Amino acid sequence: MAVLLWLLFLSAFHAVAVAQQRNFNITPGSSLTPNANSSWFSPSRRFAFGFYEQTNGYAVGISIIGMSKKTAVWTANRDSPAVPSSAVLLLTTDGRLIVQVGQEITVINPSQSIASASMLDTGNFVLYNSDHNIIWQSFDNPTNTILPGQHLSAGQELFSSASEEDDSFGIFRLKMQRDGYLVQYPVQTPDTAPYAYFEKHINGIGNNVTLNLGDDSYLYLNNSDGGLENLTKGGHPRERTIYLMKIDVDGILRVYSHSLSQQNSSAIWSSTYDRCDPKGLCGLNGYCINIDDQVNCSCLPGFDFVNPGNWTAGCERNFPAETCRLKEKTSKYYDMITVKNTRWEDISYATLVTTTKEDCVQACLQDCSCETALFKDTECRKQGLPLRYGRRDMTDSNLALVKVRINVFADEGLFNQIEETKGEKLRMDILIAGITWAAFAFLVLVL
């Protein structure tokens, strides 16, 4: 009797397992829409693949479920605009995963036709061929987040999001370099030390180093020789908690703890607690200031924010700079304003050894190409615009000298003079052209 009951139990267990596999196996013809049936869930319903809301529509990706709002951990097509509520996500009968929105947009493009897909409890979204072999998985293609059991391999990068409500590409990146160094840079910069603002590595040769996250929040580097470099200690509770590492919008790496029981999340580790460390946080011609653990951005004198709601858009001049077209010295129309204790990327086109700050000011005022100058320890470095990677540093005596318009520049008389200068040049060009054509005509007649 006991054997019979055991066999019945095994049969029932197998039936449930098969039913679950079927319930959570995504087959050709399956579809989703943003407003109804928006996700394919993992068996435990901890993760979902499908639509989630963005600022101007919807994105397709993987989210943690059971929180106050969906927390995305992977996003498809980050360089494409958000899609409208009329979009349809479809696994086609010919094995393609697409979004239909007036046109077809490929979501994932594996090397083989997709026979089925699964959203796993690990947070990994997997595509299979007809032989049930994995042909693509999200764990091999991270975007801005690493989950437990996932790793960032040599040569791979994570990119921050544009904002908290927009998961398109932001302005920071984390790269697991092939030399074994884990480094953070601004985007569109070479992988060289002057642009780095965070790095970790394993002592010795860094062959095949990977960045890994354990299910207890243990974040570490590991190489093929067994070398380790710990970034966090780990040891946090595993029960009903999901940990993830993310490169945030502000360019800082953080490990988060997501409690499914309490439906909240908190950062338990950061790569830095100096929020001005990420280079370029305040955009071009802006500089970062730490105030009581809060961060703020300011523009150079004579500049305003391009988009006051988005610091990373940087700053632009709030006056025209046309006096170089005049024959008079620009010092008649400009002054130099000092910004103390700031550091910038050095893109100087000329370096002068001067005795005083005033010498540096005059050298820049008399140079039409000089927009700013950096003065420190009798060295004057002339700069053009834009300035990048600015931040306040009270330990740095560097002075940024910024050329700005003085009041006389606003007088209409100056602008009339500029326009008269333009007009005179135009009349001279016409006169020269007329004389040239007359001479040419005379030569033709003589010949």
Side-chain angles (χ1 to χ4, degrees):
M1 186 65 179
V3 174
L4 179 59
L5 289 173
W6 176 248
L7 290 174
L8 287 173
F9 172 77
L10 288 179
S11 177
F13 179 81
H14 177 73
V16 170
V18 170
Q20 284 186 342
Q21 186 176 11
R22 287 174 180 169
N23 287 340
F24 299 104
N25 197 46
I26 304 156
T27 56
S30 301
S31 64
L32 302 171
T33 60
N35 295 326
N37 190 31
S38 63
S39 298
W40 291 315
F41 295 97
S42 67
S44 67
R45 298 183 75 85
R46 288 190 174 189
F47 292 93
F49 181 90
F51 291 105
Y52 68 93
E53 197 166 357
Q54 293 280 268
T55 302
N56 299 314
Y58 296 86
V60 173
I62 301 169
S63 303
I64 299 175
I65 306 302
M67 308 300 292
S68 56
K69 67 174 184 177
K70 286 185 177 180
T71 301
V73 296
W74 183 88
T75 305
N77 297 333
R78 297 181 73 192
D79 55 352
S80 298
V83 298
S85 58
S86 59
V88 176
L89 177 62
L90 175 65
L91 179 54
T92 67
T93 54
D94 60 352
R96 295 176 298 125
L97 188 62
I98 62 171
V99 169
Q100 293 177 328
V101 54
Q103 59 179 346
E104 292 186 354
I105 301 172
T106 300
V107 177
I108 300 170
N109 189 24
S111 58
Q112 303 176 46
S113 294
I114 305 167
S116 62
S118 293
M119 181 69 255
L120 305 182
D121 277 337
T122 58
N124 190 15
F125 184 68
V126 182
L127 303 180
Y128 305 93
N129 62 15
S130 57
D131 295 325
H132 307 294
N133 295 320
I134 295 175
I135 56 175
W136 186 94
Q137 55 185 332
S138 59
F139 268 23
D140 290 340
N141 299 273
T143 53
N144 62 1
T145 301
I146 294 292
L147 291 168
Q150 189 176 11
H151 57 259
L152 191 68
S153 301
Q156 286 188 314
E157 295 183 85
L158 301 181
F159 290 87
S160 65
S161 295
S163 73
E164 297 295 343
E165 294 78 30
D166 180 2
D167 280 327
S168 60
F169 286 106
I171 63 170
F172 301 105
R173 61 191 178 102
L174 170 72
K175 185 167 186 178
M176 187 67 257
Q177 297 183 170
R178 298 188 186 280
D179 61 2
Y181 280 72
L182 179 72
V183 191
Q184 284 189 266
Y185 303 100
V187 297
Q188 298 177 347
T189 57
D191 299 346
T192 53
Y195 299 98
Y197 63 88
F198 171 83
E199 72 85 14
K200 285 287 183 179
H201 67 281
I202 297 176
N203 291 329
I205 300 173
N207 292 330
N208 300 319
V209 176
T210 59
L211 175 65
N212 307 269
L213 180 65
D215 62 0
D216 63 347
S217 80
Y218 178 36
L219 185 67
Y220 61 97
L221 295 175
N222 183 31
N223 68 12
S224 56
D225 299 326
L228 287 174
E229 175 66 25
N230 297 336
L231 280 74
T232 69
K233 295 181 180 179
H236 286 85
R238 294 180 171 91
E239 185 68 22
R240 292 192 58 77
T241 304
I242 298 174
Y243 298 98
L244 62 86
M245 189 220 71
K246 182 178 182 181
I247 178 170
D248 275 328
V249 172
D250 61 3
I252 296 175
L253 293 182
R254 293 183 177 90
V255 173
Y256 287 93
S257 168
H258 291 267
S259 171
L260 300 177
S261 301
Q262 300 178 11
Q263 295 191 355
N264 62 14
S265 62
S266 60
I268 58 176
W269 176 84
S270 295
S271 57
T272 178
Y273 292 95
D274 183 345
R275 296 183 62 189
C276 284
D277 272 352
K279 294 184 176 180
L281 180 65
C282 296
L284 301 177
N285 304 314
Y287 60 98
C288 183
I289 306 171
N290 274 315
I291 305 174
D292 298 329
D293 296 327
Q294 297 298 314
V295 70
N296 192 28
C297 288
S298 292
C299 291
L300 290 170
F303 290 73
D304 293 326
F305 287 111
V306 174
N307 181 353
N310 180 11
W311 288 339
T312 62
C315 307
E316 60 186 356
R317 260 184 172 155
N318 57 20
F319 63 91
E322 298 196 32
T323 53
C324 278
R325 298 183 182 183
L326 301 176
K327 295 179 180 178
E328 303 173 50
K329 292 182 179 179
T330 59
S331 57
K332 180 177 179 180
Y333 308 111
Y334 289 102
D335 197 0
M336 302 294 288
I337 302 297
T338 301
V339 182
K340 297 180 179 179
N341 306 113
T342 53
R343 289 193 275 120
W344 304 84
E345 178 188 22
D346 187 0
I347 51 171
S348 54
Y349 66 87
T351 301
L352 309 174
V353 178
T354 61
T355 56
T356 65
K357 165 190 163 185
E358 185 57 33
D359 291 338
C360 188
V361 166
Q362 291 304 316
C364 190
L365 284 174
Q366 294 169 19
D367 183 348
C368 210
S369 298
C370 183
E371 308 282 1
T372 64
L374 303 180
F375 179 74
K376 182 178 180 180
D377 299 333
T378 74
E379 189 175 78
C380 178
R381 303 188 304 280
K382 293 182 179 181
Q383 311 275 319
L385 288 175
L387 291 188
R388 298 198 301 179
Y389 311 147
R391 66 161 298 167
R392 171 68 50 82
D393 184 350
M394 299 307 295
T395 66
D396 195 323
S397 62
N398 184 71
L399 304 178
L401 309 174
V402 186
K403 187 180 285 185
V404 297
R405 182 183 66 191
I406 57 179
N407 291 335
V408 69
F409 191 81
D411 294 343
E412 290 185 3
L414 175 62
F415 289 104
N416 291 338
Q417 185 180 357
I418 292 174
E419 294 304 316
E420 289 172 6
T421 303
K422 292 179 181 177
E424 289 175 3
K425 185 177 185 302
L426 179 60
R427 287 193 292 274
M428 182 61 70
D429 290 343
I430 293 172
L431 178 61
I432 292 172
I435 293 173
T436 302
W437 276 106
F440 178 74
F442 176 76
L443 289 174
V444 170
L445 290 174
V446 170
L447 295 175

